[in-house]
Amino acid sequence: MSTTTATEKAPLDEVMLAMDVVDTLRHRQDLVERELAGEAREKQLIDKLREIYHQQGIEVTDDVLMAGVKALDESRFVYTPPKPSLGVSLARLYVSRRKWGPAAIALALVLVIGLGGYFLAYKPFQAAQAEGARIELSEKLPAQMDALYQTIFEETKVQQAASEAATLRERGKSAAAEGNRAGAEQAIAQLTALRDTLRQEYQLRIVNRADQKTGFWTFPEVNTAATNYYLVVEAIGSDGKPLTLPIANEEENGKVENVAIWGVRVPESTYRSVEADKRDDGILQRNVLGLKEYGFLDVDYVMPVLGGAVTRW
């Protein structure tokens, strides 16, 4: 071994021995905990350490033993945990990143995807929905009301329909301006129904067949001493097919039902006239009770009627 190599190795050996001396002193608290102090304590420790190493067959110089004793006093070769701080916490997190890293990455991805979906998809969609609703209330629905009113105004042959349409349009536009979508749509539905009523054409015929009564009479609950007479009718369109119409039942507080056959209340004289016509040969010669023409709201009755109706009997 060269002189240079020996020179470079010697300091390292002395350091290792000094560390071993410190370790020995740490484990032999009976050597350290003495009431002696100063040079007397150091000399006593060195003598005791020399004896310990000599028993192990290791020859250690006094300089190395002294260096170990001083290192113990100076707390060298001792690991002192760092005090808690932000830097220490971050360092510990970094060291343990393999434990919490995958879960943190997964959570970050979920947050990114969730926030991205919220701000890039849901929020724009919500804004588009709100804008669409605003445009519909402020433009589309009022325009639809105007178009229906104009159609009714042009097609009606009675002032009543035009006046009713104007009232419905005004009410619907007020609802739309207030953001009341249900009110606006209700006005449109009523205008549509009014237009469809004007366009209807049918004959109100008295039913004359074996499976159905031609007429009947009842005692009204409000006046059992009186008698109500009804003729059973149906609306036959211009194509010869029966129609289903909304009829208010006077015996159920005006409840409206869509029916194809109903009873129209008539004076007893009209009832008896129809009864006599059918009794003659079983066939009604005069089976048309009224006509509903295009552009009108109501039926033009050709026989006297009292105006009430029932939907069941």
Side-chain angles (χ1 to χ4, degrees):
M1 179 182 295
S2 67
T3 305
T4 304
T5 304
T7 304
E8 292 175 351
K9 186 176 180 181
L12 181 59
D13 291 341
E14 291 179 358
V15 171
M16 295 297 292
L17 285 170
M19 291 175 64
D20 188 72
V21 169
V22 173
D23 189 59
T24 300
L25 290 171
R26 257 195 227 106
H27 288 82
R28 293 291 301 274
Q29 292 296 319
D30 60 314
L31 300 177
V32 179
E33 295 174 357
R34 303 283 187 178
E35 295 183 0
L36 298 175
E39 294 181 0
R41 176 176 176 274
E42 290 178 356
K43 185 177 182 304
Q44 188 178 40
L45 286 174
I46 290 172
D47 290 342
K48 190 62 176 176
L49 287 168
R50 187 186 301 112
E51 180 182 348
I52 291 172
Y53 282 106
H54 181 71
Q55 291 174 357
Q56 298 176 6
I58 302 173
E59 296 298 330
V60 184
T61 65
D62 289 350
D63 292 339
V64 172
L65 294 175
M66 179 60 71
V69 172
K70 290 186 176 296
L72 177 66
D73 292 338
E74 296 172 0
S75 297
R76 282 186 289 157
F77 310 124
V78 176
Y79 172 72
T80 302
K83 295 180 179 180
S85 65
L86 177 61
V88 171
S89 299
L90 292 175
R92 286 176 177 167
L93 281 174
Y94 179 77
V95 171
S96 61
R97 64 188 180 279
R98 289 188 178 180
K99 294 182 179 179
W100 57 264
I105 292 173
L107 179 60
L109 285 174
V110 171
L111 288 175
V112 169
I113 293 172
L115 291 174
Y118 179 77
F119 287 105
L120 299 179
Y122 178 72
K123 288 291 286 184
F125 172 76
Q126 193 178 43
Q129 290 286 93
E131 179 63 13
R134 186 194 66 78
I135 292 175
E136 190 168 27
L137 281 172
S138 62
E139 299 177 19
K140 292 183 179 180
L141 295 182
Q144 193 173 349
M145 295 175 202
D146 287 336
L148 284 167
Y149 169 78
Q150 190 61 33
T151 298
I152 292 169
F153 183 81
E154 292 173 356
E155 295 183 7
T156 186
K157 295 178 180 178
V158 290
Q159 182 61 36
Q160 178 187 351
S163 300
E164 188 174 342
T167 301
L168 290 173
R169 180 179 66 167
E170 183 179 353
R171 187 184 304 159
K173 284 190 173 183
S174 296
E178 295 170 358
N180 182 358
R181 183 186 181 88
E185 290 180 340
Q186 183 182 21
I188 289 175
Q190 291 173 324
L191 284 167
T192 302
L194 182 60
R195 180 204 61 189
D196 293 343
T197 299
L198 287 173
R199 290 177 174 179
Q200 287 175 339
E201 293 182 276
Y202 58 84
Q203 287 184 347
L204 195 62
R205 295 182 187 175
I206 303 171
V207 175
N208 182 29
R209 53 177 182 263
D211 64 337
Q212 185 61 257
K213 293 181 179 180
T214 296
F216 60 92
W217 49 268
T218 64
F219 297 113
E221 293 183 1
V222 295
N223 184 9
T224 55
T227 303
N228 286 343
Y229 296 90
Y230 295 92
L231 292 177
V232 179
V233 299
E234 58 185 347
I236 305 299
S238 56
D239 57 358
K241 296 180 180 180
L243 304 176
T244 298
L245 299 177
I247 303 299
N249 190 338
E250 67 176 355
E251 291 189 353
E252 294 189 15
N253 298 320
K255 180 181 178 181
V256 177
E257 296 180 69
N258 291 313
V259 294
I261 296 177
W262 66 98
V264 175
R265 185 153 57 93
V266 297
E268 183 180 2
S269 58
T270 302
Y271 181 86
R272 298 302 179 191
S273 175
V274 172
E275 182 181 45
D277 185 1
K278 186 175 181 179
R279 186 184 305 116
D280 182 39
D281 56 5
I283 300 174
L284 287 176
Q285 305 300 325
R286 297 177 58 199
N287 66 340
V288 176
L289 184 62
L291 298 172
K292 165 63 176 71
E293 297 180 344
Y294 181 93
F296 291 88
L297 291 175
D298 301 318
V299 174
D300 183 17
Y301 291 98
V302 297
M303 296 182 187
V305 298
L306 298 177
V310 292
T311 56
R312 58 176 62 90
W313 47 90

